[in-house]
């Protein structure tokens, strides 16, 4: 789950990281009022689940409450990376002497949290990695010991020369690790981590992604969810209890079981197609889940064909067939559907499908080849 900057700032603050004050607003009038209350210049920042807001015009400095209002009027009309801006953060301007990068991710390769720092801050870290990788310093953290102070100090020396600033940055790294671990983050990022002209080290941006499996058992984190900032298909999938991940291809996949879903996607690619999603309808077989699955998949305008790949064990294939029939009854599906099902109650399933003029294949290879061909013909 992604959260907004203002929410990540709060989690950082709870871990002790120095973050300037800030308040959230949804209207230009509120922004003006906050700016007046804060006094002095403010920065108005779009709150969307996307980076690169600065470049997109979503971060503006304002010297007066009136300017802040005008900035908010513009920012609240923006759409950044397909996400409409509905909220802004208003924070006092800090004068920046230097910008660095500090981030942490859960790294699959080392199977550990990896901390990354770079003196080239403020810009996309992907860009730094591509053009000047020697400016990025990384360390895999052993979760048994956490980030040790001497390790943090070593990394901080890659950012600063002033020992006071090195100590301050090392402390922030340890606090970031705490925020990362206690909130089950998969990513936590401060870009930029700045020094002020007075020599202070501060976090003026905050980004966090939280592991859904942690959010599920933490009501305090679940409360940070902003459904209006999430893709409608993902909201619907979560409500329906489906595991769904949208991808860029045009072959929609409805599969039971995560392993079979991955094998299906592999096979789609093997035969030259591109999966439009990962979707696991789960082990239980509830026709309602199939209806939701089809509703979600058909929301994607890129879809050219849909594949059902059902291996009936605990899942009853007749329940899936009933789900397909119910869905076709409730709304129209404009793309071809290829159905492969085999296993528990398959004879009943075939009879149900035949009743609405549909057929099903038994062989997975055959079904995948067919759906890829149909999608290519329609593309
Ligand atoms: P992002 O573009 O979405 O990563 O948004 P950031 O919060 O990182 O802001 C982008 C850039 O705006 C920063 O790198 C800074 O250069 C600038 N900026 C943000 N806040 C302030 C501030 O309080 N004072 C000054 N002078 N610049 C700021
Ligand atoms: Mn940033």
């Amino acid at each position: 789950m992604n959260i907004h900057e203002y929410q990540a700032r709060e989690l950082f603050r709870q871990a002790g990281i120095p973050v300037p004050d800030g308040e959230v607003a949804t209207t230009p009038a509120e922004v003006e009022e906050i700016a007046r209350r804060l006094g002095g210049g403010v920065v108005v920042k779009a709150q969307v689940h996307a980076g690169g807001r600065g470049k997109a015009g979503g971060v503006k400095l304002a010297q007066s409450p009136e300017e802040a209002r005008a900035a908010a009027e513009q920012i609240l009309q923006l759409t950044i990376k397909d996400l409409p801006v509905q909220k802004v953060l208003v924070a006092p301007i800090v004068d920046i002497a230097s910008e660095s990068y500090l981030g942490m991710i859960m790294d699959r390769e080392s199977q550990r949290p990896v901390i990354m720092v770079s003196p080239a801050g403020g810009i996309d870290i992907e860009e730094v990695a591509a053009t000047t990788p020697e400016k990025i310093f990384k360390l895999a953290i052993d979760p048994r010991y956490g980030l040790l102070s001497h390790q943090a100090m070593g990394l901080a020396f890659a950012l600063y020369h002033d020992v006071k600033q090195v100590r301050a940055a090392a402390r922030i790294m340890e606090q970031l690790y705490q925020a990362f671990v206690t909130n089950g983050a998969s990513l936590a990022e401060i870009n930029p981590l700045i020094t002020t002209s007075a020599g202070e080290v501060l976090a003026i941006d905050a980004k966090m992604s939280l592991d859904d499996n942690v959010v599920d058992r933490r009501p305090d984190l679940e409360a940070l969810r902003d459904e209006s900032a999430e893709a409608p298909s993902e909201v619907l999938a979560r409500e329906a209890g489906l595991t769904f991940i949208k991808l860029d291809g045009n072959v929609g996949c409805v599969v039971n079981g995560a392993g079979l879903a991955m094998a299906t996607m592999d096979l789609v690619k093997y035969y030259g197609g591109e999966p439009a999603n990962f979707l696991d309808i789960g082990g239980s077989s509830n026709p309602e889940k199939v209806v939701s699955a089809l509703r979600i998949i058909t929301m994607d305008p890129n879809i050219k064909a849909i594949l059902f790949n059902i291996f009936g064990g605990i899942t009853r294939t007749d329940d899936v067939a009933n789900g397909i029939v119910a869905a076709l009854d409730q709304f129209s599906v404009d793309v071809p559907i290829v159905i492969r099902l085999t296993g528990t109650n398959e004879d009943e399933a075939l009879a149900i499908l035949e009743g609405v003029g549909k057929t099903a294949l038994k062989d997975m290879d055959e079904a995948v080849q067919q759906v890829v061909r149909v999608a290519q013909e329609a593309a």
Side-chain angles (χ1 to χ4, degrees):
M1 177 177 92
N2 291 322
I3 60 175
H4 289 298
E5 174 192 359
Y6 75 92
Q7 299 169 319
R9 279 178 172 232
E10 185 52 40
L11 296 180
F12 286 180
R13 202 174 282 126
Q14 283 168 16
I17 296 174
V19 183
D21 291 334
E23 290 182 47
V24 181
T26 54
T27 65
E30 275 177 85
V31 170
E32 183 176 342
E33 197 187 304
I34 295 169
R36 188 155 288 130
R37 190 156 6 100
L38 291 174
V42 292
V43 54
V44 184
K45 308 178 75 178
Q47 298 297 290
V48 281
H49 295 168
R53 295 164 302 168
K55 265 188 239 162
V59 177
K60 287 195 192 311
L61 302 182
Q63 299 306 332
S64 66
E66 293 75 25
E67 264 183 58
R69 182 193 186 106
E73 258 157 26
Q74 288 179 11
I75 295 174
L76 285 164
Q77 279 173 22
L78 291 177
T79 298
I80 301 175
K81 295 184 183 154
D82 290 337
L83 301 162
V85 180
Q86 293 165 329
K87 289 180 200 162
V88 291
L89 174 71
V90 187
I93 291 186
V94 288
D95 66 306
I96 299 176
S98 75
E99 301 194 24
S100 309
Y101 173 90
L102 169 56
M104 208 169 276
I105 54 156
M106 194 56 88
D107 179 50
R108 282 163 191 255
E109 217 165 294
S110 58
Q111 303 183 355
R112 291 178 177 195
V114 165
I115 180 169
M116 291 174 291
V117 305
S118 174
I123 46 175
D124 271 356
I125 195 66
E126 288 82 3
E127 203 179 312
V128 182
T131 55
T132 49
E134 71 281 2
K135 287 191 184 160
I136 301 180
F137 301 85
K138 292 186 196 178
L139 178 80
I141 300 170
D142 186 327
R144 289 173 298 181
Y145 312 119
L147 178 63
L148 302 173
S149 359
H150 71 276
Q151 296 174 319
M153 286 291 281
L155 289 164
F157 271 112
L159 302 180
Y160 307 122
H161 299 299
D162 181 293
V163 174
K164 258 171 100 177
Q165 290 178 344
V166 170
R167 281 189 204 288
R171 184 132 193 259
I172 292 172
M173 290 177 202
E174 292 174 50
Q175 291 164 329
L176 186 67
Y177 182 70
Q178 278 316 313
F180 186 89
V181 172
T182 51
N183 298 302
S186 50
L187 175 145
E189 202 178 62
I190 302 173
N191 188 23
L193 177 74
I194 60 141
T195 55
T196 64
S197 47
E200 278 179 293
V201 182
L202 298 177
I204 66 161
D205 191 9
K207 188 173 175 188
M208 260 184 140
S209 301
L210 309 179
D211 186 325
D212 289 326
N213 295 302
V214 175
V215 175
D216 278 350
R217 57 184 154 80
R218 285 272 301 271
D220 58 324
L221 298 177
E222 179 59 46
L224 301 178
R225 186 182 296 286
D226 179 0
E227 288 197 341
S228 70
E230 297 182 321
S233 56
E234 290 186 3
V235 175
L236 211 62
R238 193 176 47 252
E239 282 168 2
L242 302 165
T243 309
F244 171 82
I245 294 161
K246 192 184 160 343
L247 301 168
D248 294 331
N250 60 13
V251 178
C253 303
V254 185
V255 189
N256 67 314
L260 185 61
M262 286 195 280
T264 305
M265 290 162 61
D266 280 347
L267 208 57
V268 167
K269 286 199 78 114
Y270 179 78
Y271 285 119
E274 284 295 334
N277 65 278
F278 170 98
L279 195 158
D280 172 12
I281 60 167
S284 80
S285 48
N286 173 350
E288 258 324 297
K289 278 196 173 180
V290 177
V291 177
S292 306
L294 266 176
R295 212 184 273 284
I296 290 159
I297 284 191
T298 50
M299 285 168 81
D300 181 351
N302 296 330
I303 290 282
K304 292 285 181 259
I306 296 170
L307 170 68
F308 273 81
N309 186 11
I310 306 297
F311 185 82
I314 296 168
T315 303
R316 286 172 38 185
T317 59
D318 56 328
D319 275 340
V320 175
N322 276 325
I324 296 173
V325 173
L328 295 176
D329 203 41
Q330 290 175 28
F331 53 93
S332 73
V333 178
D334 304 329
V335 296
I337 302 178
V338 176
I339 304 164
R340 178 262 178 160
L341 49 82
T342 182
T344 312
N345 292 1
E346 65 180 47
D347 292 337
E348 288 86 337
L350 289 176
I352 291 163
L353 291 172
E354 254 164 47
V356 294
K358 296 253 172 233
T359 54
L361 299 164
K362 277 201 175 174
D363 185 74
M364 174 159 156
D365 264 282
E366 206 183 318
V368 173
Q369 280 174 287
Q370 185 174 329
V371 79
V372 168
R373 191 170 56 243
V374 174
Q376 278 165 354
E377 277 164 14

